[in-house]
């Protein structure tokens, strides 16, 4: 099944002949599923060594690493760092350097969500979302920057959200964290601009991931409407294309940001949201 996911989410066919990221080392946080897995596959297709991260079943993720490595002929390793713990983030970077060498590409993608009105929003949920969605981005960035600066090359890509640019009711922690990620992205870009390092935020709208797929079914049952109506009138009300973005579209944007022609793109918050934030 994991193998099928890679084949499906990568959407990239056979490995490229010219591999732009050959010899590069990439950490993709939250890459055991969804958007992160597609990003990991895209960077592997370009030849980068990949660290997969997440809290999933260890055997499954080890197998995923094996499949990804074999398919794209790259080195892979699994790091189960819990990003809610700052020390674990730093340890993940240290382990990566020991195993593969200095980190060239950091994709901070892991994210969690909780939906509730502010007055009912559990403070522990707020803390957890801020820790994983925002603070982990800071800790990972802080840990990789010295080596990147020293070597004069680096790509830092933060997967934020359309909710890094606009708000929605009942998502206080998520929206606050994602706005924070966009701000941190700008500061990181300003501090690294003369070191051959770029830092950008990718801001997806609704993306078709297994998580969202499950939500469609659940909402269809809850509202007593068809899955198609859930998509159109509930989830995609704000997304003018009236379709989900795909994980390949997000991964393709990250791939572009890692490419040589994106060297002058830094400090940007790039919406991949079907026009949501054009409203
Ligand atoms: P997903 O399928 O739920 O993937 C989330 C990933 O984060 C998983 O690999 C998960 O690992 C990992 N993760 C969660 N908590 C972690 C922790 N404490 N430590 C380490 N890893 C952790 O979600 P997704 O839809 O692909 O979302 C990926 C990113 O895109 C998130 O930042 C999200 O906010 C952003 N985004 C998504 C959408 C969308 O519509 N899907 C839209 C805008 C932005 P395990 O599952 O192995 O635990």
């Amino acid at each position: 099944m994991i193998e099928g996911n890679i084949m499906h989410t990568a959407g990239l066919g056979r490995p490229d002949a010219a591999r732009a990221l050959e010899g590069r080392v990439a950490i993709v946080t939250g890459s055991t599923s969804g958007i992160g897995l597609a990003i990991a596959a895209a960077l592997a297709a370009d030849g980068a060594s990949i660290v997969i991260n997440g809290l999933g079943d260890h055997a499954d993720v080890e197998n995923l690493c094996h499949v990804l490595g074999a398919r794209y002929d790259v080195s892979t390793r699994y790091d189960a760092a819990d990003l809610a713990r700052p020390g674990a983030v730093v340890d993940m970077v240290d382990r990566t350097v020991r195993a593969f060498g200095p980190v060239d590409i950091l994709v901070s993608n892991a994210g969690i969500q909780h939906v509730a009105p502010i007055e009912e929003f559990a403070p522990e949920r707020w803390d957890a979302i801020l820790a994983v969605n925002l603070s982990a981005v800071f800790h990972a960035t802080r840990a990789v920057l010295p080596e990147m600066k020293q070597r004069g090359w680096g790509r830092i890509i933060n997967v934020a959200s359309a909710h890094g640019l606009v708000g929605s009711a009942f998502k206080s922690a998520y929206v606050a964290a994602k706005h924070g990620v966009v701000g941190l992205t700008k500061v990181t870009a300003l501090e690294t601009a003369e070191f051959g390092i770029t830092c950008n935020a990718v801001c997806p709208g609704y993306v078709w991931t297994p998580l969202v797929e499950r939500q469609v079914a659940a909402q269809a049952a809850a509202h007593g409407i068809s899955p198609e109506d859930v998509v159109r009138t509930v989830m995609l009300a704000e997304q003018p294309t009236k379709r989900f973005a795909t994980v390949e579209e997000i991964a393709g944007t990250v791939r572009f940001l890692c490419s040589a022609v994106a060297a002058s793109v830094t400090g940007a918050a790039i919406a991949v949201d079907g026009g949501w934030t054009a409203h």
Side-chain angles (χ1 to χ4, degrees):
M1 184 185 122
I2 283 169
E3 200 161 343
N5 278 347
I6 290 174
M7 299 290 286
H8 174 69
T9 59
L12 295 163
R14 300 304 307 168
D16 279 354
R19 308 220 299 173
L21 300 178
E22 196 82 55
R24 301 291 189 193
V25 173
I27 295 176
V28 184
T29 71
S31 45
T32 55
S33 72
I35 293 168
L37 177 56
I39 292 170
L43 300 184
D46 275 348
S49 300
I50 302 290
V51 172
I52 296 284
N53 161 256
L55 304 176
D57 178 86
H58 280 227
D60 276 357
V61 185
E62 292 288 1
N63 185 43
L64 184 154
C65 284
H66 174 74
V67 171
L68 196 66
R71 174 160 178 75
Y72 295 109
D73 191 24
V74 295
S75 299
T76 58
R77 66 183 303 275
Y78 172 41
D79 198 303
D82 178 355
L83 303 178
R85 297 175 40 240
V89 179
V90 175
D91 289 347
M92 174 177 65
V93 173
D94 286 346
R95 282 189 291 270
T96 302
V97 173
R98 283 200 297 277
F100 289 161
V103 179
D104 299 294
I105 299 165
L106 170 65
V107 183
S108 287
N109 165 77
I112 54 176
Q113 174 65 285
H114 180 65
V115 178
I118 291 173
E119 64 272 28
E120 292 168 22
F121 212 99
E124 312 81 56
R125 295 278 199 171
W126 170 276
D127 289 344
I129 290 174
L130 269 288
V132 174
N133 294 16
L134 177 58
S135 295
V137 182
F138 164 75
H139 294 299
T141 301
R142 186 173 183 276
V144 301
L145 272 187
E147 290 271 17
M148 284 184 180
K149 281 186 170 178
Q150 199 180 335
R151 290 176 311 113
W153 198 90
R155 293 287 179 271
I156 299 174
I157 293 136
N158 300 323
V159 179
S161 170
H163 283 123
L165 304 171
V166 296
S168 286
F170 311 131
K171 295 184 175 178
S172 54
Y174 187 85
V175 170
K178 294 298 189 180
H179 274 68
V181 168
V182 171
L184 175 59
T185 300
K186 292 174 183 173
V187 174
T188 306
L190 293 173
E191 291 187 13
T192 59
E194 293 183 60
F195 292 89
I197 300 166
T198 68
C199 180
N200 294 285
V202 176
C203 299
Y206 274 104
V207 183
W208 189 251
T209 65
L211 189 71
V212 170
E213 190 174 359
R214 282 194 298 276
Q215 281 180 34
V216 171
Q219 292 219 39
H223 290 269
I225 58 178
S226 70
E228 291 75 21
D229 283 345
V230 170
V231 167
R232 191 159 186 89
T233 64
V234 180
M235 289 185 155
L236 298 184
E238 298 290 336
Q239 202 147 300
T241 49
K242 301 302 176 198
R243 71 166 180 85
F244 290 95
T246 66
V247 294
E248 291 83 4
E249 290 167 348
I250 310 305
T253 306
V254 172
R255 196 180 194 184
F256 161 72
L257 290 170
C258 290
S259 72
V261 294
S264 291
V265 182
T266 194
I270 300 172
V272 189
D273 65 359
W276 178 347
T277 53
H279 276 123

